[in-house]
Amino acid sequence: MIEDSCGFVLIFLLTIMMAIPLGRYMKKVYNNEKNILDFLKPLEKLIFRICRVDPDQTMNWKKYLMALLTIQVFWLVFALVILLLQGKLFLNASAIPGMEWTLALHSSISFLTSTNLQHYSGESGASYLSQTAVFTFLQFVSAATSLAAGVAIVRGLRPDSAPGVGNFFSDFLKSCTRILLPLSIIVAIIFMFLGMPMTFKGSAKVVTLQGDTLNVARGPVASMIPIKELGSNGGGFFGANDAHPFENPNFEAFIVHFIIVFLLPVAFVFFLGYFLNNKKFSWMIFAVMTAGFVLLAIPIVRSESGGNPKITALGIKQSAGNMEGKEVRFGVNYSAYYCVENVAIPAGTVAAVHDSFMPMSDIAMLIGMQVDAFYGGLGTGWINMFIFLVIAVFIGTLMIGRSPELFGKKISAGEMQAAVGVSVLQILVPVALAAIACFVYTNNIGGSSAWLSNKGPHGFTTMLYEYITSTAGNGSNFAGLNNNTPFWNLTTSAAMLLGRFVPIIGGLLIIGLMREKKYIPSSLGTLPTDTYTFGTFLFAVILILSVLTLFVILMAGPIAEHFLILNKV
């Protein structure tokens, strides 16, 4: 375990070393400074000219939000049509039929919102056209949308009197051409060299050593996986996701997966410091996020490496830890670390079956997804942290008798109402939907008694996990749930839409209200927000608002299951 922990720490430090210069580069991109990819300007101008967009026109928060939301509708319709008709379209070597309408709607919304919760199996449920033109495409544009929204809120914190927060179309296109696409090309080349397939041919017939003939699914995998990880998406080409040998050919590829999932969310934190010219603030945010990440890692790694007490009671040694549902190539510890990383980001990529993790691990997973600010998704993780930041500043300044201010702008009732509303809705949506699902299940409405393969507290955890992963934009699958039904397709679609756009709307609303106020230079009466003392208070606020709120719900699921395993109840 010590060797694996040291290995993960080295991967983490390597990621930080890459993220710091990348954050500086992102500042140049979004601040319209000279950078190494300026040769793309003619292409960007051509795209703007074709789309009849003026990238130099500054938008206020309302216009920025309207542009962001409007373009989502076009992408949703485009994706829905292809998924419904994929059986009759080209690039369908395996003759996969069109999706049922609720599954098509769910899949379109899932990838549009950067959740990538898959109620279908990639190799058997989606044609090559759907994999590339829909899912890979949506993973790019959804990540670019998240990045643009996060940048707009950062830009709104600058100490100037301009009402605008930038231009959505400019931020969006630069996110694609200057950041996501170049990095994805580099990573795709690395993956192909490491053995990841990239072909439009159909399934390959393989004769095994036993003489059996198998049809092995393949496809344009290397073009999809980089943006899956870099964009905090998580939707796999294959149903087994990163546990599949074509998505994760070897341990070298696994290390690349570790790095690129972390890279851009961590780089965004350092981008904060460079863009706002306040590196102390970005390091404070980084410290809070890292502390949360470590606290998530401890119970997951310890629980999985310790094994299952029920198996130990049978006299079976578990020197390798809880290997149920784990990929043998990677072992328990790296599978656990990868789980921590992907519930914290949250990318939702999996290399092990989360349904097989121990209850204490389930608790950490649910909390990590619910908080969604310990690094969090690309751009959206910062938005969630910004919501917590506003609440912490308001509470902290009132506790010491000072006027609430953040970066020289007053925080009043409007900003607090929006921040609290977003925070409450983030926990209300999954809990309310889980309650509805429990009612439907216990009353066997529409044959719902066949939903779960596990009963009791674990079954409740399974349903709660489905809604929390949807609301948080994580998209990882707990398994053990028959989720490809109209009920689950439609209710999780609602959770994904609310979880995706409510924080973006709330964040832009808050920054819009702040931009309307006069800038006030900091003074002795200003609460400093770039100190580690304030960081400690911010961390406490996050724990109170998210962790303790969720604790009562967890009592009915993983906490109860934990005591059942220990024979305490």
Side-chain angles (χ1 to χ4, degrees), residues 140 175-186 227:
F140 268 102
S175 298
C176 289
T177 58
R178 303 294 183 99
I179 297 173
L180 296 173
L181 188 58
L183 287 174
S184 295
I185 292 174
I186 294 171
I227 189 59

Side-chain angles (χ1 to χ4, degrees), residues 498-537:
L498 291 170
R500 167 70 163 182
F501 293 111
V502 167
I504 291 177
I505 294 171
L508 288 173
L509 170 60
I510 293 170
I511 211 68
L513 293 174
M514 292 175 64
R515 296 294 284 178
E516 294 174 355
K517 298 176 181 177
K518 183 180 179 181
Y519 173 74
I520 303 172
S522 59
S523 63
L524 293 177
T526 302
L527 175 67
T529 57
D530 56 2
T531 65
Y532 290 106
T533 300
F534 177 78
T536 303
F537 180 74

Side-chain angles (χ1 to χ4, degrees), residues 59 62-72 168-169:
M59 300 176 175
K62 293 180 182 178
K63 291 183 178 180
Y64 198 99
L65 178 61
M66 184 58 63
L68 185 152
L69 295 177
T70 301
I71 201 169
Q72 310 296 313
F168 168 74
F169 298 109

Side-chain angles (χ1 to χ4, degrees), residues 47-265:
I47 294 174
F48 286 132
R49 191 179 303 118
I50 294 174
C51 298
R52 297 182 180 181
V53 170
D54 181 6
D56 298 321
Q57 181 183 9
T58 301
M59 300 176 175
N60 60 27
W61 76 271
K62 293 180 182 178
K63 291 183 178 180
Y64 198 99
L65 178 61
M66 184 58 63
L68 185 152
L69 295 177
T70 301
I71 201 169
Q72 310 296 313
V73 178
F74 290 99
W75 292 333
L76 177 60
V77 173
F78 165 76
L80 188 58
V81 169
I82 291 182
L83 294 180
L84 288 171
L85 300 177
Q86 67 177 357
K88 300 179 181 179
L89 298 175
F90 54 95
L91 288 181
N92 190 4
S94 300
I96 296 173
M99 289 187 179
E100 184 267 336
W101 77 269
T102 63
L103 178 60
L105 179 64
H106 174 274
S107 301
S108 300
I109 291 175
S110 181
F111 280 78
L112 178 74
T113 58
S114 197
T115 307
N116 296 188
L117 177 64
Q118 295 170 282
H119 286 180
Y120 67 95
S121 184
E123 58 266 49
S124 60
S127 67
Y128 291 166
L129 178 64
S130 297
Q131 293 277 29
T132 54
V134 176
F135 298 138
T136 302
F137 169 75
L138 287 181
Q139 290 192 91
F140 268 102
V141 297
S142 63
T145 299
S146 303
L147 195 48
V151 168
I153 292 176
V154 176
R155 189 181 288 118
L157 291 175
R158 279 188 160 181
D160 55 56
S161 57
V165 293
N167 184 289
F168 168 74
F169 298 109
S170 177
D171 291 340
F172 170 79
L173 187 60
K174 287 178 179 177
S175 298
C176 289
T177 58
R178 303 294 183 99
I179 297 173
L180 296 173
L181 188 58
L183 287 174
S184 295
I185 292 174
I186 294 171
V187 175
I189 294 172
I190 294 173
F191 276 149
M192 283 191 288
F193 274 111
L194 292 174
M196 192 175 291
M198 182 63 196
T199 179
F200 284 98
K201 295 180 180 180
S203 300
K205 288 188 177 180
V206 177
V207 178
T208 67
L209 295 176
Q210 294 178 335
D212 298 326
T213 301
L214 301 177
N215 289 321
V216 179
R218 52 184 176 175
V221 184
S223 63
M224 182 182 186
I225 304 307
I227 189 59
K228 175 185 88 167
E229 313 282 21
L230 287 165
S232 303
N233 291 299
F237 193 97
F238 299 97
N241 212 288
D242 274 359
H244 197 287
F246 285 174
E247 286 198 28
N248 216 342
N250 46 51
F251 196 77
E252 290 78 10
F254 198 31
I255 293 175
V256 177
H257 280 282
F258 267 107
I259 293 173
I260 61 177
V261 170
F262 251 138
L263 184 59
L264 283 173

Side-chain angles (χ1 to χ4, degrees), residues 102 105-107 109 470 488-498:
T102 63
L105 179 64
H106 174 274
S107 301
I109 291 175
S470 300
W488 286 103
N489 287 337
L490 296 177
T491 55
T492 53
S493 292
M496 289 186 288
L497 287 172
L498 291 170

